Amino acid sequence: MTTNDSPRPPHQVLDGADISRVITRIAHEIVERAKGAEDVVLLGIHTRGVHLSRRLQAKLTQITGREIPLGTLDITMYRDDLRLKPARALEHTEIPAGGVDGKLVILVDDVLFSGRTVRAALDALGDIGRPRAVQLAVLVDRGHRELPIRADYVGKNLPTSLREAVQVRLADSDGQDAVLVGDRDYTARSSQALAADPTRPE
Amino acid sequence: MKRHLVSAADLSRDDALLILDTAEELAQLSGRAVKKLPTLRGRTVVNLFFEDSTRTKTSFEVAEKRLSADVINFAAKGSSVSKGESLKDTALTLQAMGADAVVIRHHASGAPARLAQSDWLHGSVINAGDGTHEHPTQALLDAFTLRRHLNPGLGNDLSGRRVTIVGDVLHSRVARSNVLLLNTLGAEVTFVAPPTLVPIGIEHWPCEVSYDLDAALAKTDALMMLRVQRERMNAAFFPTEREYARRYGMNGRRLARLPEHAVVMHPGPMVRGMEITAEVADSPRCTAVEQVANGVSIRMAVLYLLLGGATLADAPSTNQSEAAK
């Protein structure tokens, strides 16, 4: 029996048009479930959740004809892995002028994985105000939850193994729109193979 | 970032900007109903004050509590220090009690550096003022206040801005830390002081020295007044208070001669009538009260960056390819 140990290169599972369609669908689902999205506030989780929430807001404005309040949330100070890594720079948290009290807050993120980011976001939200309800919209749900959390709006369910890494690229920060799946250590191993110095990290 | 904050000279330009930018984000917290973050939950911070302090001690305490740290206040008066306990034994006691960080103010210049270099304590050491040496968090909050007024925006420094520091430079740890940090951030510093209150060796500091306040006013973006530290003066450094006030005091007439955008800063406590007249102290161009509010944000940022990450902030970063989602 032969085993293939060489890591798979990332392959594309969603392209720009797919992402755009997914956002349109999620926007319609929000309007349908929230009965017109009267009291909806979108909160994008840094970094790519913010870009996605902006696109979702534009789509919702198109559908409803109203400007949906949009904020950004940095959850760094609420993470449960802070003590495992060096302190990192904070991103900008911005709560819309009307606040979140009594509103339907929709958290927006790119990938739903362990659920720890969402847990931290819920904690952060609890310190900011008291929403009527909180829902979660993600572009990709890749499974492997470590906490009892699930998304209300999912762009694509993507069954993955823990060996794999999901990369979301968005034009706003990465130059192109795409979702890629590849083996977690592919970049490391291939660059080591290519680099003249095999000890070079990554 | 290093593990300790003992001197403003420890901070590179990137470190200083990281602290200012982090403080800018943390400043938002003061406008919220719940002014608390869980970041330092389970960490113990000791405020070790060998010298009187209202502003700095309270400011650190508020910052620590807003980050959910367990706070122990340790004043030398009424403690075993007054029975003759040495700094080493105090430090070993705090280490045995599991202090993750020590915020220290000491009348001896160099005490925090001694603590940071020793192996008495494993936690971070933050200098909250040592003798006539340094007060780095005060310099950071001054830079933060200056940036908000003169060059607002994340990532901005103070390059090209002219800061005039007036008064008792000789005894001032604020002046010392400020000249180092402002220089790192690209500002030009001029000291104005009576010749008797200018330290020996100031020609090696990255600044200019003048004895004439009126001549410096027109080309000043920010005027930083210092407190005349009578408690550190064992001889007469100037003839009378009146003469000091006339030559180096800030008053309405001098305020009018400053450029329109310029601000007047004071680290406090202010001695009204001598260093600064009530007219200037209460004017909207005086940032003394704003500096106090900014002090909490800056100290939160320093505590978070030194303590909020991995147990040792200067530990080599691990290869984290993907953050847990």
Side-chain angles (χ1 to χ4, degrees):
Chain A
M1 199 179 88
T2 56
T3 54
N4 185 8
D5 269 355
S6 62
R8 277 182 313 130
H11 67 279
Q12 187 165 304
V13 285
L14 292 181
D15 62 17
D18 293 333
I19 291 176
S20 170
R21 265 195 300 277
V22 156
I23 287 170
T24 309
R25 174 170 58 76
I26 292 180
H28 280 285
E29 283 177 15
I30 290 173
V31 174
E32 195 181 337
R33 277 184 61 175
K35 299 191 173 56
E38 289 290 326
D39 60 351
V40 165
V41 173
L42 294 173
L43 275 188
I45 299 175
H46 276 285
T47 310
R48 290 183 182 78
V50 173
H51 303 320
L52 287 170
S53 64
R54 284 201 194 107
R55 295 185 190 190
L56 208 47
Q57 184 200 32
K59 204 51 92 178
L60 283 168
T61 306
Q62 245 180 45
I63 298 168
T64 62
R66 281 180 299 110
E67 184 91 352
I68 305 291
L70 171 73
T72 60
L73 197 59
D74 175 52
I75 50 100
T76 308
M77 303 297 257
Y78 292 85
R79 291 189 80 99
D80 59 5
D81 59 353
L82 273 177
R83 296 180 72 157
L84 306 177
K85 301 176 202 172
R88 45 189 231 175
L90 302 184
E91 302 283 351
H92 186 53
T93 295
E94 192 174 343
I95 304 303
V100 296
D101 289 351
K103 304 282 174 62
L104 170 61
V105 171
I106 299 180
L107 294 170
V108 185
D109 204 0
D110 54 350
V111 180
L112 179 58
F113 184 17
S114 66
R116 288 174 191 266
T117 299
V118 177
R119 194 242 4 123
L122 289 171
D123 281 357
L125 207 48
D127 283 357
I128 290 164
R130 190 181 180 282
R132 174 174 70 78
V134 184
Q135 295 180 346
L136 175 63
V138 294
L139 183 60
V140 173
D141 182 350
R142 63 165 295 191
H144 305 289
R145 214 76 77 239
E146 293 165 8
L147 296 168
I149 280 168
R150 72 174 181 82
D152 299 89
Y153 311 97
V154 179
K156 186 170 177 62
N157 280 299
L158 204 59
T160 55
S161 87
L162 281 171
R163 272 187 54 174
E164 290 173 316
V166 176
Q167 282 180 43
V168 173
R169 294 189 183 156
L170 294 175
D172 319 61
S173 57
D174 315 295
Q176 60 162 140
D177 278 357
V179 175
L180 310 172
V181 178
D183 280 358
R184 187 175 283 271
D185 46 1
Y186 178 79
T187 330
R189 289 203 203 168
S190 59
S191 66
Q192 268 176 22
L194 291 170
D197 175 12
T199 57
R200 198 183 70 157
E202 279 210 57
Chain B
M1 287 280 292
K2 295 189 171 190
R3 199 172 115 216
H4 309 290
L5 179 59
V6 171
S7 162
D10 294 344
L11 299 171
S12 67
R13 182 178 172 278
D14 286 348
D15 285 341
L17 288 179
L18 176 64
I19 295 173
L20 297 188
D21 291 350
T22 305
E24 198 69 63
E25 288 304 325
L26 291 170
Q28 292 181 28
L29 201 68
S30 58
R32 289 201 203 150
V34 180
K35 299 177 183 60
K36 217 167 166 80
L37 293 167
T39 316
L40 295 185
R41 208 159 48 86
R43 305 287 182 103
T44 305
V45 183
V46 179
N47 296 325
L48 186 57
F49 277 67
F50 290 89
E51 222 183 42
D52 294 339
S53 163
T54 318
R55 230 166 296 258
T56 307
K57 190 175 165 195
T58 318
S59 177
F60 266 108
E61 198 175 335
V62 171
E64 288 149 9
K65 286 182 171 167
R66 285 197 178 166
L67 290 172
S68 306
D70 292 326
V71 182
I72 297 171
N73 284 312
F74 185 101
K77 274 176 200 157
S79 76
S80 291
V81 171
S82 58
K83 297 176 190 164
E85 187 176 72
S86 70
L87 181 62
K88 179 176 179 177
D89 288 325
T90 307
L92 290 173
T93 307
L94 298 177
Q95 170 65 22
M97 288 176 182
D100 294 298
V102 173
V103 176
I104 177 172
R105 166 165 290 193
H106 205 285
H107 44 76
S109 304
R114 181 78 190 92
L115 214 52
Q117 286 155 14
S118 71
D119 56 356
W120 307 333
L121 267 177
H122 295 147
S124 298
V125 175
I126 300 171
N127 183 0
D130 58 334
T132 58
H133 178 227
E134 282 221 41
H135 194 355
T137 56
Q138 177 72 42
L140 282 162
L141 77 89
D142 288 340
F144 182 82
T145 311
L146 274 174
R147 188 173 82 165
R148 280 195 155 184
H149 282 276
L150 301 178
N151 194 16
L154 296 181
N156 290 351
D157 64 8
L158 296 169
S159 49
R161 308 292 153 161
R162 285 170 300 201
V163 182
T164 305
I165 303 181
V166 187
D168 186 358
V169 178
L170 179 64
H171 298 105
S172 178
R173 50 196 175 207
V174 176
R176 222 166 283 248
S177 286
N178 259 307
V179 70
L180 293 167
L181 184 69
L182 290 171
N183 191 58
T184 303
L185 291 173
E188 295 166 24
V189 180
T190 305
F191 281 131
V192 177
T196 47
L197 288 173
V198 173
I200 294 167
I202 200 163
E203 61 275 13
H204 302 301
W205 295 20
C207 63
E208 285 176 27
V209 182
S210 158
Y211 306 119
D212 186 354
L213 177 56
D214 290 304
L217 289 176
K219 49 174 186 155
T220 291
D221 296 310
L223 198 66
M224 202 178 282
M225 307 303 296
L226 299 174
R227 186 171 65 87
V228 175
Q229 305 200 20
R230 294 201 158 271
E231 74 275 18
R232 296 188 209 281
M233 291 186 186
N234 48 11
F237 285 87
F238 47 84
T240 62
E241 284 188 16
R242 229 179 117 196
E243 182 173 333
Y244 181 89
R246 192 166 54 79
R247 295 200 56 182
Y248 301 100
M250 192 60 201
N251 52 35
R253 184 177 55 79
R254 290 196 165 117
L255 186 67
R257 291 184 52 199
L258 279 175
E260 232 168 75
H261 66 273
V263 288
V264 179
M265 307 176 75
H266 198 298
M270 291 189 273
V271 180
R272 291 185 180 220
M274 182 172 160
E275 302 144 9
I276 191 164
T277 60
E279 181 191 0
V280 180
D282 296 330
S283 92
R285 291 173 72 181
C286 177
T287 60
V289 179
E290 193 184 324
Q291 284 167 266
V292 177
N294 292 342
V296 175
S297 308
I298 278 290
R299 280 153 189 145
M300 283 177 76
V302 168
L303 286 161
Y304 162 64
L305 291 169
L306 290 183
L307 285 175
T311 314
L312 290 179
D314 57 350
S317 61
T318 48
N319 185 11
Q320 296 287 342
S321 55
E322 193 183 6
K325 281 286 177 188

